[in-house]
Amino acid sequence: MPDFRTRTFFRSHVSRRITLFFVIAALIPTLLLGLLTYRSINAGLQQQQHTELVEVSRSYAQAVAGRLGFAHAALAALAQDDSAVPSPTSSRYPMFQSIDRIPLREPASERDVSTRVKPDAAPHSALRLALLAVQPSRGTGQAAIVSLIAVSPSPSTALKAPLRTEYLWGDGDEISAAYSLCVYASGNAPLFCNVPTAPAQHLRDASAARTGSFELFLKPAFHVAPWTIVASRRFPASGGAFADFFMVYLTVAVSSVLLILLLSLVQIRRVLGPLERLTAGARRIATGDFSPVAVSTDDEFGKLAVAVNDMSNQIGRQLTTLQTLAAIDQNMLTRLDLQSVIRMVDARIRLLLPHAALHVARQVADRQGAGILYSRSSDETVTSEDTVDVDPCHQDLAQIAISATGLCNPPLTRLTDGNSSWTTALMWQGASRGILSLTWPGPSVLNADTVDELTKLANRIAVAIQLEEREQHLRYQALYDSLTGLLNRSGLEEKILSLMAGRSAGVVLFIDIDRFKQINDNFGHKTGDLVLKEVGQRLRVAVGAGVAGRLAGDEFVLIVDDSDATSVAAFALQVMQSLTRPCEVGTQQFQLTCSIGIALHPSTIDDGLTLLERADVAMYRAKQSGRNAYRIYNAAMTTENHQRQALESDLRQALKEGQFFLHYQPKVNLVTGAIEGAEALVRWLHPVRGLVSPLQFIGLAEEIGLIVPLGAWIMRTACLQNAAWRRAGLKPVRIAVNVAARQFAEPGFVESVAAILHETGLPADGLEIELTEGTMMSEGEQMIDQLTKLRNLGILLAIDDFGTGYSSLAYLKRYPVSVLKIDQSFVRDLAANRDDQLIVTAIIGIAHNLQLQVVAEGVETLAQLDYLKAQGCDVYQGYYCSKPVMPAAFMAMLEDQKHRSV
């Protein structure tokens, strides 16, 4: 505890400042009082001195006036005797220097400064008009000569008598040496000064009230202006009064300041002592030391100390809680471990409730009213067990979270028998995550702060549970397919990498559903998704303990622990049989097939490809072989894959360099034997590879999107050629051009066809567009609109390869088609296969009933031709008539037919 002593007193800025303020507060009134007292005393003394000087000057004036009066009376008496002029040395007249009789008409003296006697004055007024004449002094320090004039009875003469200086002004003994006295006539003309320097001093001190004056009125008796007698002290007045005053004042002032300083120090110490301890306590709080401040006074500082201690305790508690919460948050951010979070929460709870046992019941989403219990007791280990009831008081957890106390009979009764308990729901973002229950021995009441802190800790557990569930959900989303519930690409890659990193045998099957795009196109993606879910469920059953996953779209992957080629092949056939079972979705039934690529591990093949890439290559080889098949990966497939990539590059270059050309295969009328038209077939003459079969590049062009510009080139070239034949005078024929589904779906396709016809000058009836059955079955009303526009242009529309896809009589009825082409797969074994015969017969009958022309493809034998003719087929094409030929050869056929008809 800090001790506030005098040696540390002046180290405090506050104490020094307050002390200074107290001293100033004491000095200012003391100084003001002294100043005012001094001014009062000084004014009194000056007034007293002035009064004294006035009295001195008045007394002196009265003495001078008396002597003037006496001398005047003597001279006046003498003037009554015109014949007598006594000597001035007479003892009767010692006051005069001389006595002269002067005429009245003449001036008494040229230097007189008094007023002359009027010449016409009456005799009876002569006595009242006696004058006093002054002759200025002749040098500094000399008195002026004052003369009295008395008028004689005779009006023509008067007596003039200059007064002796010592008589008029008195000798030095009569005037105190302490005073200087001066007599001034009008205009401040000096008449007499007992001190030569007095006039200058009087002028200097007149404004300082250091002189006293008195006016001697001479006009009634002498008819002259009054004289002014000025008295001043030659020496300063005694300062004894001021000395006594200053001695008393200084004693009182110093005593007052010292007393105030002493009292201020005592009070400041009483104030700053607790303040110093409070300041030290605040500094300790800033450093994390929350020990209490000891202030024992009962005043405001004592109350402040109690408040500071309460605040320190609250801050310390809150800081500890925040540190715990921050540590929990850090734990959840770095490595989310629910049991670790529970241990950290329990460590804090043990500081609040030392003997409490913590129980956390976590809800499980798929278990109604049940969950997992986490317990932590004296052994400081977290244990968990399943199937615990987490329905507190058989109420909604949300009601507990918002209730006033958060208390109820603990749901975990087997844990709380005989103990005090506190239970709350683990809530976060409005959803319940479970229950937290505390039990401790003996009765205890929790205050509001403890309940608030426990609630915050419980919320952290709820957040941890929510984050763990979210992490599990995110992991599920990252590794599992949302549609089928199987592993997605990321999950499969993890499994395959794990398989490749280990030494155990395994196999990867890459499965692609054949022609799945047609299901999406014809029946919509919703139906397609339902089909994919059914496929995923069948694959999950088929793989058993293995791994099933969906890469994307209609591509699936299976991983099984087996590396024997024979058993793997049997498993692949089993998977194919599982998928080929009819798949019913709503009212639709689908017959699915699949292509499977298989990659074995371990393998002696070292081509740098992953198992998934090898299985993918093998799957494409199965598709190329005709679909509904499986292939096991071998090294040759990689070579073929590289060749395919090279072919793709060459295909793009061929379109730029014009390496394509057209062959034409004649279409012959079965009744007349005449050529009615031809089908334009594209060929590719590679500068290195030579002639490339369409089977090698048409499918590839469709995959990489080159079929659109290639199809446009085919149509333009065929129209140009047919227009040229017509201009040459040959029989008008129709040229059939195959249009791929992707080309047909291009925006503005109808407009582009119309533009080609206009550009080439070919009439619309000279062009026939062949669309596959799969293309015709897609797009619905949009397809009908497109076909109608083409037919309105005058173009004939044909369905190619009829019977190989999703044949629909309803679509045949609605679509504005004119020609139905029987696929060569039904014609190939027509002479011997009864099923093919029935199918062909049915197709011809349906087409004729719908007023459609029937064209049979791939006719190569006379037996096939005879059967078709017997069934009423309209037109055929195939090697029996002619292979596809160059334009010149087909032109020769038309010319030969023209000559035979002539």
Side-chain angles (χ1 to χ4, degrees), residues 274 277-279 281-282 284-285 290-316 318 449:
R277 289 190 286 273
L278 289 172
T279 303
R284 291 198 306 273
I285 292 174
F290 301 100
S291 57
V293 178
V295 177
S296 58
T297 60
D298 296 331
D299 55 7
E300 286 77 4
F301 287 102
K303 296 177 181 178
L304 180 60
V306 173
V308 169
N309 290 333
D310 292 341
M311 180 189 69
S312 175
N313 184 39
Q314 185 71 13
I315 292 176
Q318 291 180 353
D449 292 338

Side-chain angles (χ1 to χ4, degrees), residues 213-484:
S213 62
F214 184 82
E215 286 191 351
L216 180 59
F217 292 94
L218 301 176
K219 190 172 183 178
F222 302 100
H223 283 267
V224 295
W227 289 355
T228 302
I229 291 85
V230 179
S232 64
R233 283 188 173 274
R234 295 182 62 186
F235 310 104
S238 175
F242 277 109
D244 294 340
F245 164 72
F246 280 116
M247 182 62 67
V248 173
Y249 170 74
L250 287 177
T251 302
V252 173
V254 172
S255 300
S256 300
V257 171
L258 291 178
L259 179 60
I260 292 174
L261 181 60
L262 178 61
L263 294 176
S264 65
L265 291 178
V266 172
Q267 186 61 28
I268 290 171
R269 289 185 61 183
R270 293 185 62 185
V271 171
L272 291 185
L275 183 60
E276 188 78 13
R277 289 190 286 273
L278 289 172
T279 303
R283 292 194 181 100
R284 291 198 306 273
I285 292 174
T287 60
D289 181 3
F290 301 100
S291 57
V293 178
V295 177
S296 58
T297 60
D298 296 331
D299 55 7
E300 286 77 4
F301 287 102
K303 296 177 181 178
L304 180 60
V306 173
V308 169
N309 290 333
D310 292 341
M311 180 189 69
S312 175
N313 184 39
Q314 185 71 13
I315 292 176
R317 183 171 181 171
Q318 291 180 353
L319 182 60
T320 304
T321 301
L322 290 176
Q323 290 173 344
T324 302
L325 297 179
I328 294 173
D329 293 341
Q330 184 66 25
N331 178 279
M332 290 189 292
L333 289 175
T334 54
R335 55 177 189 88
L336 182 59
D337 181 3
L338 181 59
Q339 293 197 13
S340 175
V341 171
I342 294 176
R343 281 193 294 269
M344 297 174 71
V345 169
D346 181 73
R348 176 56 186 163
I349 291 177
R350 287 177 182 271
L351 296 178
L352 301 175
L353 300 170
H355 302 292
L358 173 66
H359 311 282
V360 176
R362 172 186 178 182
Q363 282 186 322
V364 180
D366 56 353
R367 298 183 183 180
Q368 185 68 28
I372 301 175
L373 174 66
Y374 299 89
S375 299
R376 181 175 169 88
S377 54
S378 58
D379 59 357
E380 297 188 357
T381 59
V382 177
T383 60
S384 63
E385 61 179 275
D386 293 336
T387 62
V388 64
D389 183 13
V390 293
D391 184 15
C393 309
H394 304 287
Q395 297 177 5
D396 187 352
L397 292 176
Q399 295 178 0
I400 295 179
I402 64 175
S403 65
T405 61
L407 299 173
C408 66
N409 293 327
L412 312 174
T413 54
R414 61 188 178 84
L415 297 173
T416 59
D417 292 340
N419 295 329
S420 297
S421 64
W422 181 82
T423 303
T424 185
L426 300 177
M427 302 292 296
W428 187 251
Q429 296 181 345
S432 61
R433 306 294 177 183
I435 300 172
L436 181 144
S437 179
L438 294 175
T439 58
W440 61 93
S444 178
V445 178
L446 303 179
N447 57 38
D449 292 338
T450 302
V451 171
D452 180 66
E453 186 170 350
L454 291 174
T455 302
K456 291 179 180 179
L457 294 172
N459 288 341
R460 282 306 189 278
I461 296 180
V463 172
I465 294 174
Q466 188 266 344
L467 290 178
E468 187 176 78
E469 292 176 352
R470 180 184 177 187
E471 184 175 309
Q472 292 174 353
H473 180 67
L474 291 176
R475 179 170 178 80
Y476 180 84
Q477 287 183 326
L479 300 179
Y480 288 86
D481 177 53
S482 59
L483 177 64
T484 62

Side-chain angles (χ1 to χ4, degrees), residues 431-760:
S432 61
R433 306 294 177 183
I435 300 172
L436 181 144
S437 179
L438 294 175
T439 58
W440 61 93
S444 178
V445 178
L446 303 179
N447 57 38
D449 292 338
T450 302
V451 171
D452 180 66
E453 186 170 350
L454 291 174
T455 302
K456 291 179 180 179
L457 294 172
N459 288 341
R460 282 306 189 278
I461 296 180
V463 172
I465 294 174
Q466 188 266 344
L467 290 178
E468 187 176 78
E469 292 176 352
R470 180 184 177 187
E471 184 175 309
Q472 292 174 353
H473 180 67
L474 291 176
R475 179 170 178 80
Y476 180 84
Q477 287 183 326
L479 300 179
Y480 288 86
D481 177 53
S482 59
L483 177 64
T484 62
L486 305 178
L487 288 174
N488 59 15
R489 179 180 291 274
S490 298
L492 288 170
E493 288 176 350
E494 281 191 10
K495 293 293 184 180
I496 293 174
L497 288 176
S498 177
L499 175 63
M500 295 181 68
R503 296 182 179 181
S504 59
V507 59
V508 175
L509 291 83
F510 196 116
I511 303 170
D512 184 86
I513 307 302
D514 296 331
R515 297 185 179 90
F516 180 77
K517 184 178 182 299
Q518 296 180 5
I519 297 178
N520 279 336
D521 293 342
N522 297 332
F523 301 99
H525 288 276
K526 185 176 181 180
T527 299
D529 289 345
L530 295 175
V531 172
L532 291 176
K533 290 180 69 174
E534 177 63 24
V535 170
Q537 181 61 29
R538 293 185 183 185
L539 292 178
R540 183 184 288 108
V541 173
V543 78
V547 176
R550 177 182 174 225
L551 283 179
D554 60 346
E555 297 175 342
F556 295 84
V557 172
L558 301 181
I559 303 175
V560 294
D561 296 332
D562 198 346
S563 62
D564 181 70
T566 303
S567 59
V568 168
F571 177 70
L573 290 174
Q574 177 185 345
V575 171
M576 294 172 63
Q577 291 174 0
S578 173
L579 295 182
T580 54
R581 296 198 312 269
C583 177
E584 295 184 359
V585 176
T587 59
Q588 301 291 333
Q589 186 180 77
F590 301 96
Q591 190 77 30
L592 303 177
T593 61
C594 65
S595 300
I596 301 178
I598 302 172
L600 304 177
H601 176 79
S603 173
T604 57
I605 302 174
D606 185 12
D607 52 10
L609 299 179
T610 65
L611 287 175
L612 191 60
E613 291 171 339
R614 293 174 182 174
D616 189 12
V617 171
M619 183 273 296
Y620 271 102
R621 179 53 56 88
K623 279 189 174 296
Q624 292 173 359
S625 66
R627 297 184 174 87
N628 195 25
Y630 70 88
R631 292 292 184 270
I632 299 177
Y633 178 81
N634 56 58
M637 291 182 180
T638 301
T639 302
E640 294 173 359
N641 188 47
H642 292 165
Q643 292 175 351
R644 181 178 180 275
Q645 294 177 354
L647 182 64
E648 177 182 336
S649 177
D650 291 345
L651 184 60
R652 297 181 184 276
Q653 194 66 24
L655 189 60
K656 294 179 181 179
E657 298 179 357
Q659 298 176 9
F660 295 103
F661 63 94
L662 295 182
H663 275 179
Y664 297 90
Q665 187 173 36
K667 292 182 178 180
V668 180
N669 189 297
L670 277 170
V671 177
T672 64
I675 297 175
E676 291 190 351
E679 181 179 359
L681 301 172
V682 65
R683 296 295 184 263
W684 178 16
L685 183 60
H686 192 276
V688 177
R689 302 173 186 267
L691 191 62
V692 182
S693 169
L695 296 177
Q696 292 182 275
F697 68 85
I698 290 296
L700 180 60
E702 290 181 354
E703 289 181 21
I704 63 177
L706 283 180
I707 195 65
V708 175
L710 180 59
W713 178 86
I714 293 172
M715 184 173 292
R716 179 177 290 102
T717 303
C719 290
L720 282 172
Q721 185 63 71
N722 196 6
W725 286 332
R726 291 197 177 199
R727 288 193 298 270
L730 298 178
K731 174 187 175 182
V733 294
R734 289 195 310 273
I735 301 298
V737 177
N738 287 283
V739 174
R742 187 166 181 177
Q743 181 185 1
F744 187 81
E746 282 292 304
F749 173 74
V750 176
E751 290 76 9
S752 65
V753 173
I756 290 174
L757 292 176
H758 178 72
E759 174 189 348
T760 58

Side-chain angles (χ1 to χ4, degrees), residues 71-259:
H72 174 264
L75 184 61
L78 184 62
Q80 294 299 320
D81 187 2
D82 289 336
S83 61
V85 179
S87 173
T89 59
S90 174
S91 60
R92 293 179 59 187
Y93 305 103
M95 69 287 291
F96 299 118
Q97 293 181 10
S98 64
I99 299 174
D100 298 318
R101 190 174 293 277
I102 60 174
L104 288 179
R105 293 185 181 273
E106 296 177 1
S109 174
E110 292 180 358
R111 295 184 296 269
D112 286 348
V113 296
S114 62
T115 305
R116 293 181 182 180
V117 179
K118 295 181 180 179
D120 55 353
H124 65 275
S125 65
L127 290 175
R128 293 192 302 270
L129 297 176
L131 299 177
L132 186 148
V134 178
Q135 183 179 353
S137 63
R138 298 178 181 275
T140 305
Q142 296 182 1
I145 298 174
V146 178
S147 300
L148 291 177
I149 300 173
V151 180
S152 301
S154 174
S156 60
T157 62
L159 292 181
K160 177 181 179 183
L163 294 173
R164 291 182 182 275
T165 302
E166 60 275 10
Y167 168 79
L168 178 60
W169 309 117
D171 54 15
D173 294 336
E174 297 180 7
I175 303 174
S176 175
Y179 302 102
S180 61
L181 290 170
C182 289
V183 181
Y184 298 94
S186 62
N188 291 330
L191 299 179
F192 169 78
C193 285
N194 67 333
V195 179
T197 58
Q201 180 181 356
H202 292 164
L203 292 175
R204 184 171 59 253
D205 297 341
S207 61
R210 296 177 183 176
T211 61
S213 62
F214 184 82
E215 286 191 351
L216 180 59
F217 292 94
L218 301 176
K219 190 172 183 178
F222 302 100
H223 283 267
V224 295
W227 289 355
T228 302
I229 291 85
V230 179
S232 64
R233 283 188 173 274
R234 295 182 62 186
F235 310 104
S238 175
F242 277 109
D244 294 340
F245 164 72
F246 280 116
M247 182 62 67
V248 173
Y249 170 74
L250 287 177
T251 302
V252 173
V254 172
S255 300
S256 300
V257 171
L258 291 178
L259 179 60

